Amino acid sequence: QDTIPFLTTIITKAEADEMNPLVLAFVGDSVQQLYVRTRLAISSDKKSGALHKQQGNKGEAQADKIEKLLPCLSEEEVAVYKRARNAHYSSSAKNASIGDYKKASGFEALLGYLYLTGKHDRLNELLSIE
């Protein structure tokens, strides 16, 4: 199975554009976690503890992923990413450089934006790019 179904929560582009980009990242973090955990669960017979360890360093991986995806993104998607990447952060990165942390937050915001606006095919497309 190539795609993983998502819930059908949909808001308008205008509503998403009005949301705080870090709130979009909050949603996007959960979306990516569900995607990764689902992929691991259906492709492995390992126990949950081993699967949890297999996830790796999320912030660094997300920063690397967005660097690969940037050439594939539309102007709208890049704008969402940059809005979150450049947002003011009241917390700091725990296991990543501040640069990677900001890139990862931008990536998560893009995922949250695509999820909340109902662009689930595009979400699956971007998440499946290795």
Side-chain angles (χ1 to χ4, degrees), residues 108-125:
E108 290 173 345
L110 175 59
L111 300 182
Y113 179 86
L114 294 171
Y115 173 75
L116 290 172
T117 57
K119 296 178 181 177
H120 302 154
D121 288 341
R122 180 64 171 157
L123 179 61
N124 274 303
E125 179 184 345

mmCIF file with all atom_site columns, all heavy atoms in Angstrom, residues 108-125:
data_model
loop_
_atom_site.group_PDB
_atom_site.id
_atom_site.type_symbol
_atom_site.label_atom_id
_atom_site.label_alt_id
_atom_site.label_comp_id
_atom_site.label_asym_id
_atom_site.label_entity_id
_atom_site.label_seq_id
_atom_site.pdbx_PDB_ins_code
_atom_site.Cartn_x
_atom_site.Cartn_y
_atom_site.Cartn_z
_atom_site.occupancy
_atom_site.B_iso_or_equiv
_atom_site.pdbx_formal_charge
_atom_site.auth_seq_id
_atom_site.auth_comp_id
_atom_site.auth_asym_id
_atom_site.auth_atom_id
_atom_site.pdbx_PDB_model_num
ATOM 1   N N   . GLU A 1 108 ? 7.430  20.757 9.448  1.00 0.00 ? 108 GLU A N   1
ATOM 2   C CA  . GLU A 1 108 ? 6.224  20.337 10.172 1.00 0.00 ? 108 GLU A CA  1
ATOM 3   C C   . GLU A 1 108 ? 5.049  21.259 9.856  1.00 0.00 ? 108 GLU A C   1
ATOM 4   O O   . GLU A 1 108 ? 3.914  20.798 9.704  1.00 0.00 ? 108 GLU A O   1
ATOM 5   C CB  . GLU A 1 108 ? 6.485  20.320 11.675 1.00 0.00 ? 108 GLU A CB  1
ATOM 6   C CG  . GLU A 1 108 ? 7.422  19.213 12.113 1.00 0.00 ? 108 GLU A CG  1
ATOM 7   C CD  . GLU A 1 108 ? 7.814  19.310 13.573 1.00 0.00 ? 108 GLU A CD  1
ATOM 8   O OE1 . GLU A 1 108 ? 7.607  20.377 14.206 1.00 0.00 ? 108 GLU A OE1 1
ATOM 9   O OE2 . GLU A 1 108 ? 8.350  18.309 14.090 1.00 0.00 ? 108 GLU A OE2 1
ATOM 10  N N   . ALA A 1 109 ? 5.310  22.567 9.752  1.00 0.00 ? 109 ALA A N   1
ATOM 11  C CA  . ALA A 1 109 ? 4.236  23.511 9.424  1.00 0.00 ? 109 ALA A CA  1
ATOM 12  C C   . ALA A 1 109 ? 3.663  23.218 8.041  1.00 0.00 ? 109 ALA A C   1
ATOM 13  O O   . ALA A 1 109 ? 2.445  23.280 7.837  1.00 0.00 ? 109 ALA A O   1
ATOM 14  C CB  . ALA A 1 109 ? 4.752  24.946 9.494  1.00 0.00 ? 109 ALA A CB  1
ATOM 15  N N   . LEU A 1 110 ? 4.532  22.897 7.095  1.00 0.00 ? 110 LEU A N   1
ATOM 16  C CA  . LEU A 1 110 ? 4.063  22.542 5.753  1.00 0.00 ? 110 LEU A CA  1
ATOM 17  C C   . LEU A 1 110 ? 3.163  21.310 5.812  1.00 0.00 ? 110 LEU A C   1
ATOM 18  O O   . LEU A 1 110 ? 2.093  21.290 5.198  1.00 0.00 ? 110 LEU A O   1
ATOM 19  C CB  . LEU A 1 110 ? 5.248  22.293 4.812  1.00 0.00 ? 110 LEU A CB  1
ATOM 20  C CG  . LEU A 1 110 ? 4.896  21.795 3.417  1.00 0.00 ? 110 LEU A CG  1
ATOM 21  C CD1 . LEU A 1 110 ? 3.981  22.775 2.684  1.00 0.00 ? 110 LEU A CD1 1
ATOM 22  C CD2 . LEU A 1 110 ? 6.172  21.535 2.621  1.00 0.00 ? 110 LEU A CD2 1
ATOM 23  N N   . LEU A 1 111 ? 3.581  20.296 6.579  1.00 0.00 ? 111 LEU A N   1
ATOM 24  C CA  . LEU A 1 111 ? 2.754  19.100 6.713  1.00 0.00 ? 111 LEU A CA  1
ATOM 25  C C   . LEU A 1 111 ? 1.414  19.434 7.365  1.00 0.00 ? 111 LEU A C   1
ATOM 26  O O   . LEU A 1 111 ? 0.367  18.954 6.919  1.00 0.00 ? 111 LEU A O   1
ATOM 27  C CB  . LEU A 1 111 ? 3.481  18.038 7.540  1.00 0.00 ? 111 LEU A CB  1
ATOM 28  C CG  . LEU A 1 111 ? 4.814  17.530 6.998  1.00 0.00 ? 111 LEU A CG  1
ATOM 29  C CD1 . LEU A 1 111 ? 5.377  16.453 7.920  1.00 0.00 ? 111 LEU A CD1 1
ATOM 30  C CD2 . LEU A 1 111 ? 4.680  17.031 5.578  1.00 0.00 ? 111 LEU A CD2 1
ATOM 31  N N   . GLY A 1 112 ? 1.432  20.255 8.400  1.00 0.00 ? 112 GLY A N   1
ATOM 32  C CA  . GLY A 1 112 ? 0.188  20.662 9.060  1.00 0.00 ? 112 GLY A CA  1
ATOM 33  C C   . GLY A 1 112 ? -0.721 21.427 8.117  1.00 0.00 ? 112 GLY A C   1
ATOM 34  O O   . GLY A 1 112 ? -1.939 21.217 8.087  1.00 0.00 ? 112 GLY A O   1
ATOM 35  N N   . TYR A 1 113 ? -0.142 22.312 7.322  1.00 0.00 ? 113 TYR A N   1
ATOM 36  C CA  . TYR A 1 113 ? -0.895 23.094 6.349  1.00 0.00 ? 113 TYR A CA  1
ATOM 37  C C   . TYR A 1 113 ? -1.565 22.185 5.316  1.00 0.00 ? 113 TYR A C   1
ATOM 38  O O   . TYR A 1 113 ? -2.764 22.316 5.039  1.00 0.00 ? 113 TYR A O   1
ATOM 39  C CB  . TYR A 1 113 ? 0.064  24.077 5.670  1.00 0.00 ? 113 TYR A CB  1
ATOM 40  C CG  . TYR A 1 113 ? -0.561 24.945 4.620  1.00 0.00 ? 113 TYR A CG  1
ATOM 41  C CD1 . TYR A 1 113 ? -1.180 26.140 4.964  1.00 0.00 ? 113 TYR A CD1 1
ATOM 42  C CD2 . TYR A 1 113 ? -0.523 24.593 3.278  1.00 0.00 ? 113 TYR A CD2 1
ATOM 43  C CE1 . TYR A 1 113 ? -1.750 26.956 4.000  1.00 0.00 ? 113 TYR A CE1 1
ATOM 44  C CE2 . TYR A 1 113 ? -1.080 25.400 2.309  1.00 0.00 ? 113 TYR A CE2 1
ATOM 45  C CZ  . TYR A 1 113 ? -1.699 26.584 2.667  1.00 0.00 ? 113 TYR A CZ  1
ATOM 46  O OH  . TYR A 1 113 ? -2.263 27.384 1.718  1.00 0.00 ? 113 TYR A OH  1
ATOM 47  N N   . LEU A 1 114 ? -0.791 21.253 4.767  1.00 0.00 ? 114 LEU A N   1
ATOM 48  C CA  . LEU A 1 114 ? -1.345 20.348 3.762  1.00 0.00 ? 114 LEU A CA  1
ATOM 49  C C   . LEU A 1 114 ? -2.442 19.472 4.364  1.00 0.00 ? 114 LEU A C   1
ATOM 50  O O   . LEU A 1 114 ? -3.471 19.226 3.729  1.00 0.00 ? 114 LEU A O   1
ATOM 51  C CB  . LEU A 1 114 ? -0.241 19.487 3.148  1.00 0.00 ? 114 LEU A CB  1
ATOM 52  C CG  . LEU A 1 114 ? 0.794  20.242 2.314  1.00 0.00 ? 114 LEU A CG  1
ATOM 53  C CD1 . LEU A 1 114 ? 1.949  19.323 1.933  1.00 0.00 ? 114 LEU A CD1 1
ATOM 54  C CD2 . LEU A 1 114 ? 0.163  20.870 1.090  1.00 0.00 ? 114 LEU A CD2 1
ATOM 55  N N   . TYR A 1 115 ? -2.219 19.005 5.570  1.00 0.00 ? 115 TYR A N   1
ATOM 56  C CA  . TYR A 1 115 ? -3.210 18.162 6.243  1.00 0.00 ? 115 TYR A CA  1
ATOM 57  C C   . TYR A 1 115 ? -4.502 18.939 6.502  1.00 0.00 ? 115 TYR A C   1
ATOM 58  O O   . TYR A 1 115 ? -5.589 18.479 6.144  1.00 0.00 ? 115 TYR A O   1
ATOM 59  C CB  . TYR A 1 115 ? -2.631 17.630 7.560  1.00 0.00 ? 115 TYR A CB  1
ATOM 60  C CG  . TYR A 1 115 ? -3.643 16.889 8.378  1.00 0.00 ? 115 TYR A CG  1
ATOM 61  C CD1 . TYR A 1 115 ? -4.047 15.604 8.028  1.00 0.00 ? 115 TYR A CD1 1
ATOM 62  C CD2 . TYR A 1 115 ? -4.225 17.473 9.501  1.00 0.00 ? 115 TYR A CD2 1
ATOM 63  C CE1 . TYR A 1 115 ? -4.986 14.921 8.768  1.00 0.00 ? 115 TYR A CE1 1
ATOM 64  C CE2 . TYR A 1 115 ? -5.164 16.793 10.248 1.00 0.00 ? 115 TYR A CE2 1
ATOM 65  C CZ  . TYR A 1 115 ? -5.548 15.525 9.884  1.00 0.00 ? 115 TYR A CZ  1
ATOM 66  O OH  . TYR A 1 115 ? -6.491 14.851 10.615 1.00 0.00 ? 115 TYR A OH  1
ATOM 67  N N   . LEU A 1 116 ? -4.375 20.104 7.102  1.00 0.00 ? 116 LEU A N   1
ATOM 68  C CA  . LEU A 1 116 ? -5.571 20.869 7.494  1.00 0.00 ? 116 LEU A CA  1
ATOM 69  C C   . LEU A 1 116 ? -6.345 21.422 6.303  1.00 0.00 ? 116 LEU A C   1
ATOM 70  O O   . LEU A 1 116 ? -7.550 21.635 6.395  1.00 0.00 ? 116 LEU A O   1
ATOM 71  C CB  . LEU A 1 116 ? -5.180 22.003 8.442  1.00 0.00 ? 116 LEU A CB  1
ATOM 72  C CG  . LEU A 1 116 ? -4.739 21.567 9.835  1.00 0.00 ? 116 LEU A CG  1
ATOM 73  C CD1 . LEU A 1 116 ? -4.198 22.765 10.616 1.00 0.00 ? 116 LEU A CD1 1
ATOM 74  C CD2 . LEU A 1 116 ? -5.872 20.889 10.591 1.00 0.00 ? 116 LEU A CD2 1
ATOM 75  N N   . THR A 1 117 ? -5.671 21.650 5.185  1.00 0.00 ? 117 THR A N   1
ATOM 76  C CA  . THR A 1 117 ? -6.361 22.165 4.000  1.00 0.00 ? 117 THR A CA  1
ATOM 77  C C   . THR A 1 117 ? -6.841 21.041 3.081  1.00 0.00 ? 117 THR A C   1
ATOM 78  O O   . THR A 1 117 ? -7.337 21.309 1.988  1.00 0.00 ? 117 THR A O   1
ATOM 79  C CB  . THR A 1 117 ? -5.471 23.152 3.213  1.00 0.00 ? 117 THR A CB  1
ATOM 80  O OG1 . THR A 1 117 ? -4.248 22.514 2.847  1.00 0.00 ? 117 THR A OG1 1
ATOM 81  C CG2 . THR A 1 117 ? -5.193 24.414 4.019  1.00 0.00 ? 117 THR A CG2 1
ATOM 82  N N   . GLY A 1 118 ? -6.677 19.814 3.529  1.00 0.00 ? 118 GLY A N   1
ATOM 83  C CA  . GLY A 1 118 ? -7.218 18.680 2.789  1.00 0.00 ? 118 GLY A CA  1
ATOM 84  C C   . GLY A 1 118 ? -6.405 18.234 1.597  1.00 0.00 ? 118 GLY A C   1
ATOM 85  O O   . GLY A 1 118 ? -6.885 17.478 0.760  1.00 0.00 ? 118 GLY A O   1
ATOM 86  N N   . LYS A 1 119 ? -5.161 18.666 1.515  1.00 0.00 ? 119 LYS A N   1
ATOM 87  C CA  . LYS A 1 119 ? -4.296 18.284 0.386  1.00 0.00 ? 119 LYS A CA  1
ATOM 88  C C   . LYS A 1 119 ? -3.548 16.998 0.741  1.00 0.00 ? 119 LYS A C   1
ATOM 89  O O   . LYS A 1 119 ? -2.323 16.949 0.782  1.00 0.00 ? 119 LYS A O   1
ATOM 90  C CB  . LYS A 1 119 ? -3.347 19.429 0.049  1.00 0.00 ? 119 LYS A CB  1
ATOM 91  C CG  . LYS A 1 119 ? -4.093 20.664 -0.423 1.00 0.00 ? 119 LYS A CG  1
ATOM 92  C CD  . LYS A 1 119 ? -3.180 21.816 -0.711 1.00 0.00 ? 119 LYS A CD  1
ATOM 93  C CE  . LYS A 1 119 ? -4.032 23.009 -1.151 1.00 0.00 ? 119 LYS A CE  1
ATOM 94  N NZ  . LYS A 1 119 ? -3.243 24.196 -1.377 1.00 0.00 ? 119 LYS A NZ  1
ATOM 95  N N   . HIS A 1 120 ? -4.310 15.962 0.988  1.00 0.00 ? 120 HIS A N   1
ATOM 96  C CA  . HIS A 1 120 ? -3.754 14.703 1.496  1.00 0.00 ? 120 HIS A CA  1
ATOM 97  C C   . HIS A 1 120 ? -2.953 13.940 0.448  1.00 0.00 ? 120 HIS A C   1
ATOM 98  O O   . HIS A 1 120 ? -1.960 13.287 0.793  1.00 0.00 ? 120 HIS A O   1
ATOM 99  C CB  . HIS A 1 120 ? -4.866 13.851 2.092  1.00 0.00 ? 120 HIS A CB  1
ATOM 100 C CG  . HIS A 1 120 ? -5.592 14.559 3.192  1.00 0.00 ? 120 HIS A CG  1
ATOM 101 N ND1 . HIS A 1 120 ? -6.883 14.271 3.525  1.00 0.00 ? 120 HIS A ND1 1
ATOM 102 C CD2 . HIS A 1 120 ? -5.206 15.557 4.031  1.00 0.00 ? 120 HIS A CD2 1
ATOM 103 C CE1 . HIS A 1 120 ? -7.275 15.054 4.520  1.00 0.00 ? 120 HIS A CE1 1
ATOM 104 N NE2 . HIS A 1 120 ? -6.270 15.843 4.834  1.00 0.00 ? 120 HIS A NE2 1
ATOM 105 N N   . ASP A 1 121 ? -3.335 14.044 -0.815 1.00 0.00 ? 121 ASP A N   1
ATOM 106 C CA  . ASP A 1 121 ? -2.542 13.391 -1.862 1.00 0.00 ? 121 ASP A CA  1
ATOM 107 C C   . ASP A 1 121 ? -1.149 14.021 -1.936 1.00 0.00 ? 121 ASP A C   1
ATOM 108 O O   . ASP A 1 121 ? -0.140 13.314 -2.037 1.00 0.00 ? 121 ASP A O   1
ATOM 109 C CB  . ASP A 1 121 ? -3.233 13.481 -3.227 1.00 0.00 ? 121 ASP A CB  1
ATOM 110 C CG  . ASP A 1 121 ? -4.450 12.590 -3.325 1.00 0.00 ? 121 ASP A CG  1
ATOM 111 O OD1 . ASP A 1 121 ? -4.581 11.649 -2.521 1.00 0.00 ? 121 ASP A OD1 1
ATOM 112 O OD2 . ASP A 1 121 ? -5.288 12.832 -4.227 1.00 0.00 ? 121 ASP A OD2 1
ATOM 113 N N   . ARG A 1 122 ? -1.100 15.337 -1.861 1.00 0.00 ? 122 ARG A N   1
ATOM 114 C CA  . ARG A 1 122 ? 0.191  16.033 -1.888 1.00 0.00 ? 122 ARG A CA  1
ATOM 115 C C   . ARG A 1 122 ? 0.995  15.702 -0.630 1.00 0.00 ? 122 ARG A C   1
ATOM 116 O O   . ARG A 1 122 ? 2.216  15.506 -0.697 1.00 0.00 ? 122 ARG A O   1
ATOM 117 C CB  . ARG A 1 122 ? -0.038 17.539 -2.008 1.00 0.00 ? 122 ARG A CB  1
ATOM 118 C CG  . ARG A 1 122 ? 1.228  18.361 -2.053 1.00 0.00 ? 122 ARG A CG  1
ATOM 119 C CD  . ARG A 1 122 ? 2.067  18.072 -3.267 1.00 0.00 ? 122 ARG A CD  1
ATOM 120 N NE  . ARG A 1 122 ? 3.160  19.038 -3.365 1.00 0.00 ? 122 ARG A NE  1
ATOM 121 C CZ  . ARG A 1 122 ? 4.270  18.828 -4.012 1.00 0.00 ? 122 ARG A CZ  1
ATOM 122 N NH1 . ARG A 1 122 ? 4.465  17.698 -4.679 1.00 0.00 ? 122 ARG A NH1 1
ATOM 123 N NH2 . ARG A 1 122 ? 5.211  19.741 -4.048 1.00 0.00 ? 122 ARG A NH2 1
ATOM 124 N N   . LEU A 1 123 ? 0.330  15.633 0.490  1.00 0.00 ? 123 LEU A N   1
ATOM 125 C CA  . LEU A 1 123 ? 0.976  15.265 1.752  1.00 0.00 ? 123 LEU A CA  1
ATOM 126 C C   . LEU A 1 123 ? 1.631  13.895 1.637  1.00 0.00 ? 123 LEU A C   1
ATOM 127 O O   . LEU A 1 123 ? 2.810  13.724 1.951  1.00 0.00 ? 123 LEU A O   1
ATOM 128 C CB  . LEU A 1 123 ? -0.065 15.285 2.871  1.00 0.00 ? 123 LEU A CB  1
ATOM 129 C CG  . LEU A 1 123 ? 0.365  14.922 4.271  1.00 0.00 ? 123 LEU A CG  1
ATOM 130 C CD1 . LEU A 1 123 ? 1.434  15.871 4.788  1.00 0.00 ? 123 LEU A CD1 1
ATOM 131 C CD2 . LEU A 1 123 ? -0.839 14.952 5.194  1.00 0.00 ? 123 LEU A CD2 1
ATOM 132 N N   . ASN A 1 124 ? 0.888  12.921 1.150  1.00 0.00 ? 124 ASN A N   1
ATOM 133 C CA  . ASN A 1 124 ? 1.442  11.578 0.962  1.00 0.00 ? 124 ASN A CA  1
ATOM 134 C C   . ASN A 1 124 ? 2.590  11.583 -0.046 1.00 0.00 ? 124 ASN A C   1
ATOM 135 O O   . ASN A 1 124 ? 3.589  10.888 0.139  1.00 0.00 ? 124 ASN A O   1
ATOM 136 C CB  . ASN A 1 124 ? 0.355  10.603 0.512  1.00 0.00 ? 124 ASN A CB  1
ATOM 137 C CG  . ASN A 1 124 ? -0.395 10.015 1.680  1.00 0.00 ? 124 ASN A CG  1
ATOM 138 O OD1 . ASN A 1 124 ? 0.190  9.413  2.574  1.00 0.00 ? 124 ASN A OD1 1
ATOM 139 N ND2 . ASN A 1 124 ? -1.708 10.193 1.673  1.00 0.00 ? 124 ASN A ND2 1
ATOM 140 N N   . GLU A 1 125 ? 2.434  12.367 -1.106 1.00 0.00 ? 125 GLU A N   1
ATOM 141 C CA  . GLU A 1 125 ? 3.485  12.445 -2.125 1.00 0.00 ? 125 GLU A CA  1
ATOM 142 C C   . GLU A 1 125 ? 4.797  12.939 -1.516 1.00 0.00 ? 125 GLU A C   1
ATOM 143 O O   . GLU A 1 125 ? 5.858  12.354 -1.721 1.00 0.00 ? 125 GLU A O   1
ATOM 144 C CB  . GLU A 1 125 ? 3.026  13.379 -3.245 1.00 0.00 ? 125 GLU A CB  1
ATOM 145 C CG  . GLU A 1 125 ? 4.027  13.574 -4.344 1.00 0.00 ? 125 GLU A CG  1
ATOM 146 C CD  . GLU A 1 125 ? 3.557  14.602 -5.383 1.00 0.00 ? 125 GLU A CD  1
ATOM 147 O OE1 . GLU A 1 125 ? 2.358  14.950 -5.418 1.00 0.00 ? 125 GLU A OE1 1
ATOM 148 O OE2 . GLU A 1 125 ? 4.421  15.059 -6.146 1.00 0.00 ? 125 GLU A OE2 1
#
